[in-house]
Amino acid sequence: MSQRVNTQSVNIRKLNKRTTKQGGMTFIEVLIALVIMVTGILGAVAMQATAKKGSFDAMQRSLASSLGQDIVERMRSNDATTLISYKGANYGEALGAPVPACNAIAGCSSANMITNDIYEWEMALMGANVKNGTNNVGGLVEARACIDVVNNSEVTVVITWEGRTKTKSDLYSADCSSLKGERRQVLVEAFIY
């Protein structure tokens, strides 16, 4: 009988040892899991910030392209012999005085239409047509533009603005300021007859 009791007590001890070997996660395992989880969360946050910067830059480039096409279409709708009147290298530096509303239906002269086109285009370029309090918020960041007309038919519109990150190249446009650091550029070329 004592043999049987000894065997039972040995079996109970073995069973107790098996159940006490794995009692849950250790502190080291929990710390490793937390480090992995925090690294993943920080990576996701960094990815979101990078995507937001890229989205802003893409929106600015799209707006610049649209503004370049807008002024070219305004030039096309006016008299082709007056294209040289659109030429300028300082658009976006300072918005001129408001001009009386002028459109083709009201019977404006070609010169009045050019003045109106440039004023409305420059307002859109600088964001002056969308305000938050007294701040312009609808245009490009630190926008500058130039329009060059050659042979009264070849039109080049250069629009530059401040990007969010630095670029590696030092582009230069003869009509606009040199582009260094964070400046971006869109160039629109057209023939108008």
Side-chain angles (χ1 to χ4, degrees):
M1 181 119 159
S2 67
Q3 179 71 2
R4 189 173 184 189
V5 172
N6 265 349
T7 309
Q8 281 182 340
S9 65
V10 170
N11 286 340
I12 290 173
R13 280 190 217 140
K14 286 182 182 178
L15 182 62
N16 284 342
K17 282 185 181 179
R18 279 191 222 144
T19 57
T20 58
K21 280 186 180 177
Q22 184 63 33
M25 294 179 71
T26 65
F27 186 67
I28 298 294
E29 290 172 328
V30 171
L31 282 178
I32 291 171
L34 282 174
V35 166
I36 291 171
M37 188 171 66
V38 167
T39 303
I41 290 171
L42 288 176
V45 169
M47 184 177 61
Q48 180 68 23
T50 303
K52 189 172 182 177
K53 282 182 186 177
S55 174
F56 181 78
D57 284 342
M59 185 267 308
Q60 290 279 286
R61 182 171 301 283
S62 176
L63 180 59
S65 179
S66 175
L67 287 169
Q69 292 297 329
D70 177 52
I71 195 63
V72 168
E73 291 306 316
R74 287 174 184 264
M75 294 168 83
R76 275 195 179 114
S77 67
N78 211 338
D79 185 11
T81 61
T82 60
L83 288 179
I84 198 72
S85 300
Y86 286 94
K87 187 173 182 172
N90 59 350
Y91 295 115
E93 289 180 7
L95 190 60
V99 295
C102 181
N103 56 45
I105 299 170
C108 294
S109 70
S110 184
N112 289 345
M113 199 64 182
I114 291 168
T115 304
N116 184 67
D117 286 347
I118 291 171
Y119 177 76
E120 288 180 355
W121 182 69
E122 200 165 13
M123 278 190 63
L125 182 72
M126 296 173 67
N129 51 356
V130 180
K131 296 208 178 262
N132 183 7
T134 59
N135 298 330
N136 300 342
V137 294
L140 298 168
V141 178
E142 296 294 322
R144 296 291 181 269
C146 347
I147 299 173
D148 191 23
V149 179
V150 178
N151 297 330
N152 214 30
S153 62
E154 300 172 32
V155 176
T156 303
V157 179
V158 179
I159 300 174
T160 68
W161 69 96
E162 195 75 21
R164 293 181 58 99
T165 57
K166 290 193 176 217
T167 59
K168 293 181 181 177
S169 63
D170 290 335
L171 300 173
Y172 181 77
S173 170
D175 297 322
C176 284
S177 61
S178 66
L179 303 177
K180 293 185 178 183
E182 299 173 354
R183 298 296 291 177
R184 303 290 189 269
Q185 177 179 21
V186 166
L187 179 88
V188 178
E189 296 177 313
F191 289 97
I192 300 176
Y193 296 101

